[in-house]
Amino acid sequence: AEGLTFHIFINHTHWDHIQGLPFFVPAYHPQNKFIFYSPFPDIEERIAGQQTGSYFPVAFKDMQCKKEFVHLEENSSYNIDSVKITNMEMYHPGRSFGYRISCNGRSVVYATDSEYKDLSSQGVGRYIEFFKETDLLIFDAQYSLGETIHKEDWGHSSSIIGIDIAVEAGVKQLALFH
């Protein structure tokens, strides 16, 4: 039987974003193929590192699926059939990337784990351009507005900032994350 192909775009490798992979049953099926995409040049080592013996009993190399790693240039686009995926670096400790996925005139932006330190028009301009008129923006809103002040440089945002940026960018629908 022919297996499935999974295209997985990694925005960053903090454990709250990658810890589910060792438990994802399709990764143990030898007919399945997993293609990991990321601007991190060491993405394979980062993914495999969470499954060393100190953290998990099954090594990443022992997951039977076929694995492939694609290094994306930062702030570039990549096509999979008719789907265009564009990445942009966000502000987050250890680095993080947002993804804009476009197909057939529709788009979704995944922009989690990002802090917006300079809320001036110039400071958020590149984000507004990246989010511009997307059908769905998935936005980091881990903190209240007050917490963003007390937790500066922790790499997260608030719903208030998300709403302001989404309105400015003409986003059609906003989903708050974290």
Side-chain angles (χ1 to χ4, degrees), residues 5-22:
T5 298
F6 295 84
H7 297 274
I8 301 175
F9 287 77
I10 304 290
N11 74 325
H12 75 300
T13 54
H14 287 165
W15 278 19
D16 61 323
H17 287 261
I18 64 170
Q19 68 187 350
L21 183 61

Side-chain angles (χ1 to χ4, degrees), residues 103-170:
C103 183
N104 298 326
R106 305 291 303 246
S107 64
V108 61
V109 173
Y110 180 81
T112 69
D113 294 74
S114 184
E115 183 174 347
Y116 303 85
K117 296 172 68 81
D118 177 358
L119 297 176
S120 69
S121 294
Q122 184 177 0
V124 295
R126 69 186 197 98
Y127 301 108
I128 289 170
E129 187 60 34
F130 191 68
F131 303 161
K132 193 164 195 66
E133 298 179 6
T134 192
D135 293 287
L136 173 64
L137 170 60
I138 303 167
F139 189 89
D140 188 302
Q142 181 164 339
Y143 301 139
S144 69
L145 189 56
E147 286 175 313
T148 62
I149 295 165
H150 299 296
K151 296 180 178 178
E152 186 176 359
D153 291 324
W154 287 27
H156 296 281
S157 192
S158 75
S159 59
I160 301 300
I161 292 170
I163 291 166
D164 285 350
I165 290 174
V167 167
E168 184 70 25

